[in-house]
Amino acid sequence: MNWKLGISVMTAFIVALTGFASFGFTELGVHDQYGIKQTRMGSQVVKKRTVSASSYHPANRQEEVEGLILSQYPKIQVVATGYTAGYESTGKKPSHPAYGITYSGVKVRRDKYSTIAADLRVFPLGTILYIPGYGFGVVADKGGAIRGNKIDLYFETTKDVFSQWGKKTVDVYLVQKGEGKLTEPMLQALHEKGIAAMARPVEQE
């Protein structure tokens, strides 16, 4: 009687073990051309993509800002400094009638699309640049010391100029070249519609 019981227990153990194996995971170790590894789950084969670390390499990613693929636009190296509307930058005090008014006629602003100064022979009024670390800048002003590939970024206070920027050599993206003018309605339209709706790819020179 005992030997029959022993056989029954052994048989039950083997069946249970076989059943567990049939429902367990078996690594097939097969990767196809797309990097997908096959894993058996019972009678089904589960496919799982194996992503290599190289696919996350910065060189394989396209930087996108506000719906724009920056690689579509020319990259230009410039020296960028900061300025304010104050006396230290413009020689004007708040009581001056032209205080805070740029060469284009629009008021200075530091927001999503900030006003900046440039050499108008290089970047005409209305030119839109993307400046990493600063954001979008719209050329609205010029300056006596701003010549060639130099730009001046507007900040609200001198403290902001020194703490947030100072002076940097940076690669900027020419999102849209201006046509020599900038108005408040043009800036307003830019804010309402967004840069992606208004910008067009610029041919690489």
Side-chain angles (χ1 to χ4, degrees), residues 12-23:
F13 175 75
I14 293 172
V15 170
L17 184 62
T18 304
F20 176 79
S22 66
F23 287 98

Side-chain angles (χ1 to χ4, degrees), residues 21 25 39 45 48 58 66 75-76 83 106 113-114 122 139-140 142 148 170 176 194:
F25 290 91
T39 302
V45 174
K48 180 173 65 175
E66 293 294 321
K75 187 165 60 173
I76 304 168
Y83 80 106
V106 305
Y113 303 103
S114 303
V122 180
V139 176
K142 64 179 184 176
V170 62
Q176 186 162 294

Side-chain angles (χ1 to χ4, degrees), residues 8-162:
S8 298
V9 171
M10 182 64 69
T11 301
F13 175 75
I14 293 172
V15 170
L17 184 62
T18 304
F20 176 79
S22 66
F23 287 98
F25 290 91
T26 304
E27 297 289 341
L28 301 183
V30 179
H31 290 78
D32 64 15
Q33 60 180 325
Y34 302 107
I36 296 177
K37 186 175 183 179
Q38 297 182 10
T39 302
R40 183 179 299 281
M41 181 179 178
S43 61
Q44 296 182 337
V45 174
V46 178
K47 295 184 177 182
K48 180 173 65 175
R49 183 177 298 277
T50 302
V51 182
S52 65
S54 62
S55 65
Y56 289 104
H57 193 281
N60 296 329
R61 295 199 301 267
Q62 290 187 316
E63 187 176 358
E64 183 174 335
V65 178
E66 293 294 321
L68 300 182
I69 304 297
L70 294 180
S71 60
Q72 293 180 352
Y73 303 94
K75 187 165 60 173
I76 304 168
Q77 187 175 86
V78 302
V79 174
T81 50
Y83 80 106
T84 71
Y87 186 82
E88 66 282 346
S89 295
T90 65
K92 300 182 180 72
K93 296 182 178 180
S95 58
H96 195 287
Y99 182 83
I101 304 299
T102 64
Y103 178 74
S104 66
V106 305
K107 295 190 67 173
V108 292
R109 61 172 70 189
R110 176 73 178 106
D111 51 21
K112 194 172 185 179
Y113 303 103
S114 303
T115 53
I116 64 174
D119 185 336
L120 303 185
R121 297 168 300 180
V122 180
F123 302 118
L125 290 176
T127 295
I128 302 173
L129 302 176
Y130 177 73
I131 304 109
Y134 180 79
F136 289 102
V138 185
V139 176
D141 215 344
K142 64 179 184 176
I146 307 301
R147 293 287 183 268
N149 282 19
K150 292 184 179 181
I151 59 176
D152 221 2
L153 313 180
Y154 174 71
F155 289 90
E156 294 182 341
T157 67
T158 53
K159 181 180 178 180
D160 290 342
V161 171
F162 291 110

